[in-house]
């Protein structure tokens, strides 16, 4: 969703801002802009569409400065127009904002009465005027502009309800940038004689790796020489400096056409990294934190909360959890759970799954679970130091590396690997997993990256199938048991990036309704590995064939399938046992990718979607 970058330096910061905004493009956006403080004036350029269009305008208008802020906007309040794009300016105060201000109507009325006029439909413009109002008030009172902007921001944020990350500059104070955070991530990058602000470390990685993560309620003043951070009571405070390990290579395309393609192909490595600690040290509670054992022993069940693809990882984990650990497990979409009068068992472990660690619905569901009295919380997340793991007692970081494509791929399979580890650890602690079982699970994990590589080698065959899918309007995905969530994930990937309407059903459910949709125009993808449900799945496939439906079956080498009229088969090399859902994810990802390619859609930035969803 929206992205922020800001810089103050001796050099021209405009290229830094543009580069930073380009690095944020993957989050999804519909307009972009920068504002610079230039010889006592604020200049701004904004454009709807791509950052490159805004960049061309900035070059044409000869933008250069030592202080500036930039933004990519994903419309919430007000349509996709230049007037609604950030930065917003109020008489020399320019500001960029991520998040949503809930009381903006009320503040707008108040500011109108104070004589302010509004140029946009955004909630953000309210903040710019509020800051200007407090600056003017302190100037009128004679407290002087030297400490003005920081104090004005600190006063303004107290009037706001909602979520924000802000970066603010003023033409009267060309030596500083002020920022604030509540409910949306914001970090400060520390350089040599230059400093930066960003909503995501990738925006400033080209300049520095040393970062301070602002905490909830913090404000900060950033100059060339240094940074001062203040807590919610405006008391100056020291925040820890972290060194980011996000690699620049993970932000580059390399030889690939799309980030999604690159990330699909990175899965053997991402999985190997995610399981490395288990392979080296076994299934130990310490994988989830130094003091995890006591908490994990204490629990009596598991409640998983997540959205989208992460929710499907949770659905898969439920099958593992109940079979391997013997603990009861429920999975719920975070945005539903947070508004339900749930009956909490305090001893049910809350497991949130989030690639970004920022998803608002998941974060709010976690807060709600805590308010209901759940004693223990665990986050499975791909972004270190992001909000959800920081709010959780225990953490398991997937080691997928930065995921840039909007459609989640390597994050999903590494989430599955992490959740599998959790199931086995809980099984051990709760007396369900014997030493022999543990050795067997370890062995299966060892084979996993290799099996995933074999599945990737099927790409040419899958690309041929994709050509058939490209002309279709609808598709149906079927699976059973552990592979039903993979069918759901396959349907989600296809609809997200190719815009083909796709639905997934447990294969046994077909005859209870969706079979009515099946005719010769409906391709039916079946995930049918050689497990105990295979014969049942075969019967469901007969139901499809009998109605003229065309079947596209992903199975493994061990199952005795033959191709026939209307039945196409692609085989992964060997049945991957309990980890088969991870291996069978690869073909459905590749099918979606190649179908989208054949349809010529914007694979990495599908329409209407954002990478990290920080609004309700
Ligand atoms: C789909 C996809 C989304 C996310 C969902 C949750 O490809 O990426 O469905 O899975 O928005 O995001 P995280 O995992 O960041 O909480």
């Amino acid at each position: 969703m929206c992205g922020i970058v800001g810089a103050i330096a001796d050099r021209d910061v405009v290229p830094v801002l543009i580069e930073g905004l380009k690095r944020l493009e993957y989050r999804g956006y519909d307009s972009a802009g920068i504002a610079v403080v230039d010889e006592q004036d604020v200049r701004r350029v904004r454009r709807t569409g791509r950052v490159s269009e805004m960049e061309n305008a900035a070059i044409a208008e000869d933008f250069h400065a030592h202080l500036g802020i930039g933004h990519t906007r994903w419309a919430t309040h007000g349509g996709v127009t230049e007037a609604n794009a950030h930065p917003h300016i109020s008489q020399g105060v320019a500001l960029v904002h991520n998040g949503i201000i809930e009381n903006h109507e009320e503040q707008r009325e108040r500011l109108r009465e104070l004589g302010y006029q509004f140029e946009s439909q955004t909630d953000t413009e309210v903040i710019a005027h509020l800051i200007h109002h407090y600056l003017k008030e302190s100037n009128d009172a004679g407290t002087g502009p030297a400490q003005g902007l920081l104090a004005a921001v600190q006063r303004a944020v107290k009037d706001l309800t909602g979520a924000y990350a802000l970066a603010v500059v003023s033409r009267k104070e060309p030596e500083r940038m002020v920022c604030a955070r509540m409910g949306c991530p914001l970090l400060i990058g520390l350089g040599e004689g230059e400093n930066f602000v960003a909503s995501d470390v990738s925006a400033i990685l080209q300049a520095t790796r040393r970062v301070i993560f602002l905490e909830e309620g913090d404000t900060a003043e950033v100059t060339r020489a240094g940074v001062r951070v203040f807590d919610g009571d405006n008391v100056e405070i020291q925040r820890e400096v972290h060194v980011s390990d996000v690699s620049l290579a993970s932000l580059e395309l390399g030889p690939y056409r799309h980030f999604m393609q690159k990330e699909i192909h990175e899965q053997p490595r991402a999985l190997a990294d995610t399981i490395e600690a288990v392979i080296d040290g076994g299934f130990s509670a310490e994988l989830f934190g130094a003091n995890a054992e006591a908490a994990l022993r204490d629990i009596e069940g598991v409640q998983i909360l997540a959205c989208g693809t992460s929710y499907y990882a949770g659905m898969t984990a439920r099958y593992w959890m109940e079979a391997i650990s013997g603990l009861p497990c429920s999975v719920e979409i975070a945005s539903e759970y947070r508004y339900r009068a749930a009956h909490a068992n305090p001893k049910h472990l809350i497991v949130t799954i989030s690639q970004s660690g920022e998803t608002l619905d998941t974060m709010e569901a976690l807060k709600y679970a805590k308010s209901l009295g759940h004693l223990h919380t665990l986050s499975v997340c791909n972004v270190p130091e992001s909000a959800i793991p920081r709010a959780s007692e225990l953490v398991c970081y997937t080691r997928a590396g930065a995921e840039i494509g909007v459609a989640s791929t390597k994050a999903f399979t590494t989430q599955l690997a992490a959740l599998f580890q959790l199931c086995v650890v809980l099984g051990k602690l709760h007396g369900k997993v014997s030493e022999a079982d543990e050795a067997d699970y370890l062995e299966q994990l060892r084979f996993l990256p290799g099996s995933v590589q074999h599945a990737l080698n099927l790409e040419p065959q899958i690309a041929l199938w994709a050509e058939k899918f490209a002309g279709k309007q609808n598709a149906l995905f079927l699976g059973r048991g552990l592979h039903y969530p993979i069918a759901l994930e396959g349907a989600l990937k296809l609809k997200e990036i190719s815009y083909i309407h796709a639905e997934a059903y447990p294969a046994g459910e077909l005859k209870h309704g969706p079979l009515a949709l099946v005719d010769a125009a409906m391709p039916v993808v079946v995930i049918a590995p050689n497990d105990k449900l295979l014969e049942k799945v075969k019967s469901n496939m007969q139901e499809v064939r009998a109605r003229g439906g065309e079947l596209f079956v992903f199975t493994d080498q061990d199952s005795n399938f033959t191709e026939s009229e209307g039945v196409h088969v692609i085989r992964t090399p060997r049945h991957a046992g309990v980890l088969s859902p991870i291996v069978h994810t690869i073909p459905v990802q590749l099918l979606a990718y190649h179908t989208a390619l054949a349809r010529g859609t914007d694979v990495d930035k599908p329409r209407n979607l954002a990478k990290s969803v920080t609004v309700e």
Side-chain angles (χ1 to χ4, degrees):
M1 289 200 147
C2 305
I4 288 178
V5 62
I8 183 161
D10 283 330
R11 57 178 162 146
D12 180 12
V13 297
V14 173
V16 179
L17 300 178
I18 302 280
E19 167 82 16
L21 293 180
K22 286 185 175 169
R23 301 264 183 210
L24 292 173
E25 283 189 297
Y26 78 95
R27 296 171 66 91
Y29 71 106
D30 40 50
S31 50
I34 59 172
V36 296
V37 179
D38 170 11
E39 290 160 12
Q40 301 289 305
D41 203 2
V42 172
R43 296 175 68 203
R44 167 177 70 181
V45 58
R46 300 179 290 179
R47 287 292 182 274
T48 56
R50 294 284 184 233
V51 170
S52 54
E53 289 166 39
M54 190 273 294
E55 177 186 19
N56 291 340
I59 293 168
E61 292 179 36
D62 204 22
F63 266 58
H64 301 284
H66 300 291
L67 169 62
I69 51 178
H71 192 257
T72 45
R73 173 175 187 255
W74 191 83
T76 55
H77 292 68
V80 182
T81 63
E82 204 167 295
N84 286 334
H86 301 207
H88 288 279
I89 296 185
S90 178
Q91 301 172 58
V93 173
L95 157 147
V96 289
H97 164 223
N98 285 0
I100 286 184
I101 303 305
E102 285 161 13
N103 63 341
H104 69 104
E105 298 283 10
E106 180 192 314
Q107 294 297 338
R108 191 180 286 253
E109 278 318 301
R110 174 184 162 209
L111 287 157
R112 277 208 177 103
E113 278 164 26
L114 287 165
Y116 287 94
Q117 289 182 350
F118 286 80
E119 291 172 358
S120 77
Q121 301 152 307
T122 63
D123 50 341
T124 303
E125 193 180 355
V126 162
I127 319 174
H129 291 317
L130 261 182
I131 295 169
H132 177 265
H133 162 66
Y134 284 123
L135 258 179
K136 184 169 172 299
E137 212 174 68
S138 75
N139 284 348
D140 293 349
T143 36
Q147 48 174 309
L149 186 61
L150 174 64
V153 171
Q154 287 172 335
R155 287 181 72 189
V157 294
K158 296 283 183 269
D159 293 344
L160 304 177
T161 316
Y164 54 80
L166 304 174
V168 194
V169 293
S170 162
R171 72 167 168 232
K172 296 229 173 102
E173 300 183 42
E175 291 303 326
R176 61 177 55 76
M177 182 162 52
V178 173
C179 45
R181 173 211 159 138
M182 179 67 83
C184 294
L186 196 65
L187 55 90
I188 297 172
L190 306 173
E192 298 294 330
E194 54 184 25
N195 290 306
F196 310 89
V197 174
S199 52
D200 177 329
V201 72
S202 57
I204 54 168
L205 221 49
Q206 78 277 17
T208 183
R209 291 188 167 276
R210 296 175 59 236
V211 295
I212 293 172
F213 295 98
L214 292 187
E215 301 275 349
E216 293 292 76
D218 280 358
T219 49
E221 180 185 63
V222 182
T223 63
R224 281 189 192 80
V227 173
R228 294 169 71 204
V229 182
F230 303 85
D231 67 12
D233 296 322
N234 299 343
V235 174
E236 191 164 350
I237 190 160
Q238 294 300 318
R239 297 275 180 230
E240 205 182 325
V241 177
H242 297 258
V243 178
S244 170
D245 64 0
V246 174
S247 80
L248 266 178
S250 66
L251 309 175
E252 311 286 353
L253 257 184
Y256 296 96
R257 275 180 79 178
H258 296 100
F259 280 104
M260 183 180 180
Q261 184 194 24
K262 174 178 181 236
E263 289 158 6
I264 289 173
H265 282 270
E266 281 174 347
Q267 289 176 107
R269 196 232 5 104
L271 284 162
D273 288 350
T274 300
I275 63 177
E276 187 184 8
V278 186
I279 300 292
D280 292 349
F283 291 96
S284 137
E286 285 187 7
L287 294 167
F288 305 96
N291 302 317
E293 184 168 335
L296 294 180
R297 268 191 202 286
D298 192 36
I299 62 158
E300 293 170 357
V302 176
Q303 169 71 64
I304 300 178
L305 302 170
C307 305
T309 285
S310 297
Y311 169 68
Y312 297 148
M315 281 182 74
T316 315
R318 179 187 179 186
Y319 290 90
W320 283 331
M321 190 65 78
E322 294 182 341
I324 297 173
S325 77
L327 291 168
C329 177
S330 314
V331 196
E332 192 160 348
I333 290 180
S335 58
E336 286 297 311
Y337 174 84
R338 63 180 284 205
Y339 292 114
R340 188 165 64 81
H343 290 270
N345 177 338
K347 289 211 165 184
H348 279 199
L349 173 70
I350 294 293
V351 176
T352 55
I353 311 168
S354 175
Q355 183 283 131
S356 61
E358 286 180 19
T359 303
L360 189 79
D361 284 321
T362 309
M363 184 64 183
E364 291 303 319
L366 170 62
K367 287 186 194 159
Y368 179 54
K370 286 188 190 171
S371 77
L372 293 177
H374 283 276
L375 295 170
H376 301 296
T377 58
L378 185 151
S379 153
V380 174
C381 185
N382 194 40
V383 180
E385 293 300 327
S386 54
I388 296 173
R390 277 151 66 95
S392 305
E393 178 193 8
L394 309 176
V395 180
C396 178
Y397 284 116
T398 48
R399 292 177 58 201
E403 191 178 68
I404 306 293
V406 162
S408 192
T409 52
K410 60 179 181 172
F412 176 68
T413 46
T414 54
Q415 284 168 349
L416 289 176
L419 289 161
F420 177 75
Q421 293 169 30
L422 176 65
C423 296
V424 180
V425 167
L426 285 172
K428 271 178 74 180
L429 295 176
H430 291 261
K432 286 279 176 192
V433 170
S434 65
E435 274 184 28
D437 295 334
E438 190 182 352
D440 182 38
Y441 291 138
L442 209 54
E443 194 60 7
Q444 297 196 39
L445 266 187
R446 267 203 194 95
F447 274 108
L448 181 64
S451 306
V452 166
Q453 186 56 58
H454 283 303
L456 285 168
N457 297 343
L458 300 171
E459 188 164 9
Q461 286 164 262
I462 296 171
L464 291 178
W465 278 13
E467 280 166 26
K468 297 185 183 228
F469 276 69
K472 304 285 182 187
Q473 299 300 320
N474 302 289
L476 209 54
F477 284 68
L478 302 176
R480 286 188 88 133
L482 269 172
H483 298 90
Y484 165 48
I486 306 310
L488 285 162
E489 174 61 2
L492 178 63
K493 287 289 92 95
L494 189 69
K495 72 184 121 187
E496 268 186 296
I497 60 168
S498 76
Y499 315 147
I500 292 173
H501 170 233
E503 287 195 58
Y505 279 90
E509 191 64 11
L510 200 59
K511 56 191 173 296
H512 298 291
L515 198 53
L517 296 170
V518 173
D519 61 15
M522 173 72 87
V524 180
V525 178
V526 190
I527 300 159
N530 187 25
D531 63 14
K532 62 176 191 226
L533 291 170
L534 180 61
E535 292 309 316
K536 306 272 175 214
V537 176
K538 281 185 176 170
S539 309
N540 303 137
M541 284 165 49
Q542 294 303 328
E543 294 161 8
V544 172
R545 261 325 278 150
R547 273 92 193 158
E550 198 172 0
L551 288 159
F552 295 83
V553 186
F554 291 117
T555 186
D556 32 48
Q557 220 44 271
D558 330 37
S559 26
N560 57 343
F561 265 111
T562 42
E563 291 234 352
S564 57
E565 171 85 31
V567 183
H568 313 279
V569 179
I570 289 183
R571 293 172 195 282
T572 56
R574 60 186 281 279
H575 183 50
V578 72
L579 298 174
S580 164
I582 303 183
V583 177
H584 277 274
T585 300
I586 311 304
V588 295
Q589 293 172 341
L590 288 169
L591 181 64
Y593 173 71
H594 283 282
T595 306
L597 214 59
R599 285 168 70 96
T601 56
D602 191 346
V603 173
D604 284 334
K605 300 186 197 89
R607 66 186 182 201
N608 307 338
L609 298 180
K611 182 69 186 161
S612 101
V613 185
T614 50
V615 296
E616 258 199 80

